[in-house]
Amino acid sequence: NAGVTQTPKFQVLKTGQSMTLQCAQDMNHEYMSWYRQDPGMGLRLIHYSVGAGITDQGEVPNGYNVSRSTTEDFPLRLLSAAPSQTSVYFCASRVTGGGYTFGSGTRLTVV
Amino acid sequence: AQKITQTQPGMFVQEKEAVTLDCTYDTSDQSYGLFWYKQPSSGEMIFLIYQGSYDEQNATEGRYSLNFQKARKSANLVISASQLGDSAMYFCAMREALNTNAGKSTFGDGTTLTVKP
């Protein structure tokens, strides 16, 4: 099925470890973004991309890196995991003027 | 400053009744969009409905309608004939610079809706 695919669905990291959350979409959407959702709260924008080769920071970018080498893929890298990065991470994509299509989320715990 | 405000942390509605979820926003942009998303207990985020700032008629999608009052900067979601499956968290979001590809979306803190049988 067409949509946004996120992997992994669950991950436990130790403080200081690094990892990459994968996100891929097959809808040819130019715009992709990463959000984090903390318990009982809305989504906060980490990084976004308006097309291949173009990325920019959102509201809470510290501790995260992104790249966009293709239209389809938008991985999120945690450089040195901290307990404050325990959260649910969503990747989303859209067309100009459209609503987001979200991935199923990654539940990350940093111990 | 908070751009999206959802003042109702939790709401209850009887099955088959209608319910309104409130959302107010703040922007100086002329071209913007208001969006509503549903997050069931399973955790996925589902796009429900969209209203553009220049749209003259309120948006409707099945049992969902958006009561857009531009002067009051409100974009309330109305769910008619509530069903048990409507129990979920609902998020209001706003995107400025709607006609460009670069507009970023800001989300409210959400309203938890519980539908009672």
Side-chain angles (χ1 to χ4, degrees):
Chain A
N1 292 335
V4 178
T5 302
Q6 268 185 255
T7 56
K9 293 191 182 301
F10 301 94
Q11 184 71 50
V12 179
L13 288 179
K14 293 183 178 179
T15 298
Q17 287 184 318
S18 63
M19 79 160 294
T20 299
L21 306 185
Q22 301 292 343
C23 176
Q25 54 93 8
D26 58 2
M27 298 171 286
N28 203 33
H29 287 173
E30 290 295 325
Y31 188 100
M32 296 186 74
S33 57
W34 277 99
Y35 285 89
R36 61 177 286 173
Q37 183 180 27
D38 297 311
M41 296 179 66
L43 280 68
R44 291 185 292 169
L45 182 64
I46 305 171
H47 285 286
Y48 67 99
S49 169
V50 298
I54 306 170
T55 64
D56 205 348
Q57 296 181 351
E59 181 185 356
V60 288
N62 292 342
Y64 307 95
N65 273 354
V66 292
S67 60
R68 185 94 180 269
S69 57
T70 67
T71 299
E72 293 77 21
D73 299 300
F74 190 45
L76 176 72
R77 281 182 289 278
L78 278 71
L79 308 174
S80 177
S84 61
Q85 293 179 304
T86 294
S87 190
V88 179
Y89 291 83
F90 287 99
C91 179
S93 71
R94 63 167 175 83
V95 296
T96 300
Y100 276 128
T101 299
F102 281 89
S104 56
T106 297
R107 189 172 296 274
L108 176 68
T109 302
V110 182
V111 298
Chain B
Q2 180 81 8
K3 291 189 174 183
I4 292 286
T5 302
Q6 294 181 253
T7 57
Q8 307 152 314
M11 289 281 287
F12 291 88
V13 64
Q14 206 67 35
E15 193 178 9
K16 301 181 184 178
E17 299 286 315
V19 63
T20 298
L21 306 184
D22 294 342
C23 173
T24 59
Y25 62 91
D26 183 31
T27 182
S28 57
D29 203 348
Q30 296 301 308
S31 176
Y32 56 91
L34 284 308
F35 301 80
W36 279 91
Y37 295 86
K38 174 183 179 182
Q39 187 176 42
S41 58
S42 52
E44 72 267 33
M45 293 284 290
I46 304 165
F47 167 60
L48 294 178
I49 194 168
Y50 153 77
Q51 178 86 41
S53 57
Y54 290 114
D55 294 339
E56 294 185 353
Q57 290 193 324
N58 286 343
T60 60
E61 289 287 346
R63 294 186 298 109
Y64 303 109
S65 61
L66 203 154
N67 184 2
F68 182 47
Q69 299 188 44
K70 194 170 182 177
R72 300 175 72 173
K73 294 188 175 180
S74 73
N76 298 338
L77 177 70
V78 181
I79 305 175
S80 62
S82 297
Q83 302 172 356
L84 296 178
D86 294 334
S87 292
M89 177 86 85
Y90 289 82
F91 291 97
C92 179
M94 178 181 67
R95 182 185 313 148
E96 296 170 320
L98 189 65
N99 294 332
T100 74
N101 198 24
K104 294 180 282 188
S105 294
T106 303
F107 285 77
D109 288 339
T111 295
T112 300
L113 176 67
T114 303
V115 180
K116 294 182 173 181

